Amino acid sequence: MARRTVTGRVDDLFTDAAAAGVAVTLSAMPRRWTDEAGGRVLAAPDHPVVVTAGAWSASLLPTDEPGIEPATGRYYRVTESVAGVPVRVRVFEVPTGVGSVGIDTLVVADPGLPGYVRGTAGPKGDTGDTGPQGPQPPLGAAGAGAGIALRSTDPTTTDARTPTAHAASHAAAGADALTLTQAQVTGLAAALAGLLPLTGGTMTGTVTNNAASAATTAYGGGVVGDTFDRWRILASGAIELGPGNAARDTNLRRSAANELTTDDALIVALMFRHMGSTLGFYGAAAVARPSITGSRGGNSALGSLISALAAIGLVTDTTTA
């Protein structure tokens, strides 16, 4: 059978410390309970409880535990004595439940009562008749005093004028503009601190723009006063460039795996170095670097050179044998 711990305290009225010389005794009412399920008699002599620093606790069988006789009318009595003289006796029930429960929640906390068990709240009673109307306060003008009622005809309660629209005056630059600081809006300062200002700033994370299609502009920019973006990066990765006062006319894009293509001219002011293993010019297919063969003393080496240059597209071979 599950038990439940009941706790209590006995403190000194004048010092609020643990009372000295106080003994606590628990008794069962009635003195004998019968465990029908276990087939045993539960004797209940007076049980002294150890009081430590004014606090005591006891593990008690709930008074509503099923299978115990008498089926109803089972209670506990706690007696508090000073120097062997009982000074307070309280009767209480222990309901079934989980966890400890304080003695003050189980009995009526009223020193004028002998300690009867606190029962459950009864049903709400009927609403009584309406009482007579109370006395009315004296009437007076607005501001006459806290105990003076305002007359319904007081001029401060009426205003025949047409209400003036004033929303515009509260707007920015209005005659009576309303202003709020960031601190007056909860969380606004922290939210703004996490945003990149329009004037620019430093970002430490990755910027990703997932556009609807490959031809959609992901990013673009230019100079103040431009009528067209000077540069754009499309979602496909293609780069478009222009003068800013006309449409963009230059591009650079990925045309195949490991391949960049531009539909426009490419001018290199400094060194141009080709690191690949094949090369082609003027639309010719890229081929490996050709080898020139034949004797320099005759035309065989010249013929080999012409064939090699024609193979990479640098010349058109229209020579005859």
Side-chain angles (χ1 to χ4, degrees), residues 72-134:
T72 60
R74 300 197 306 269
Y75 304 97
Y76 289 100
R77 179 175 62 230
V78 57
T79 303
E80 298 167 357
S81 304
V82 177
V85 179
V87 295
R88 182 168 63 169
V89 178
R90 293 185 285 178
V91 178
F92 62 94
E93 291 179 317
V94 179
T96 300
V98 178
S100 62
V101 59
I103 184 67
D104 291 334
T105 66
L106 301 177
V107 297
V108 178
D110 187 343
L113 298 178
Y116 295 135
V117 178
R118 176 186 294 170
T120 57
K124 183 179 180 180
D126 297 334
T127 302
D129 296 334
T130 303
Q133 184 176 359

Side-chain angles (χ1 to χ4, degrees), residues 123-214:
K124 183 179 180 180
D126 297 334
T127 302
D129 296 334
T130 303
Q133 184 176 359
Q136 297 297 309
L139 301 178
I148 305 299
L150 187 66
R151 293 187 180 90
S152 61
T153 57
D154 192 279
T156 60
T157 63
T158 60
D159 190 350
R161 69 178 178 84
T162 302
T164 302
H166 58 278
S169 67
H170 293 330
D176 187 22
L178 297 178
T179 59
L180 289 174
T181 65
Q182 293 184 14
Q184 291 176 283
V185 182
T186 302
L188 178 60
L192 293 177
L195 302 179
L196 186 66
L198 293 176
T199 55
T202 300
M203 298 186 65
T204 58
T206 301
V207 178
T208 301
N209 182 4
N210 295 319
S213 67

Side-chain angles (χ1 to χ4, degrees), residues 293 299-308 317:
T293 60
N299 289 330
S300 59
L302 177 60
S304 176
L305 175 60
I306 294 173
S307 297
D317 186 5

Side-chain angles (χ1 to χ4, degrees), residues 46-59:
D46 290 344
H47 177 70
V49 180
V50 177
V51 180
T52 303
W56 62 268
S57 65
S59 180

Side-chain angles (χ1 to χ4, degrees), residues 186-262:
T186 302
L188 178 60
L192 293 177
L195 302 179
L196 186 66
L198 293 176
T199 55
T202 300
M203 298 186 65
T204 58
T206 301
V207 178
T208 301
N209 182 4
N210 295 319
S213 67
T216 301
T217 300
Y219 305 101
V223 179
V224 175
D226 285 350
T227 54
F228 293 84
D229 286 344
R230 293 196 181 210
W231 63 271
R232 280 186 179 180
I233 301 177
L234 305 184
S236 64
I239 301 174
E240 296 180 347
L241 304 166
N245 60 354
R248 291 164 300 284
D249 51 23
T250 310
N251 62 69
L252 181 65
R253 67 185 185 280
R254 176 185 180 274
S255 53
N258 303 312
E259 181 177 292
L260 282 176
T261 298
T262 180

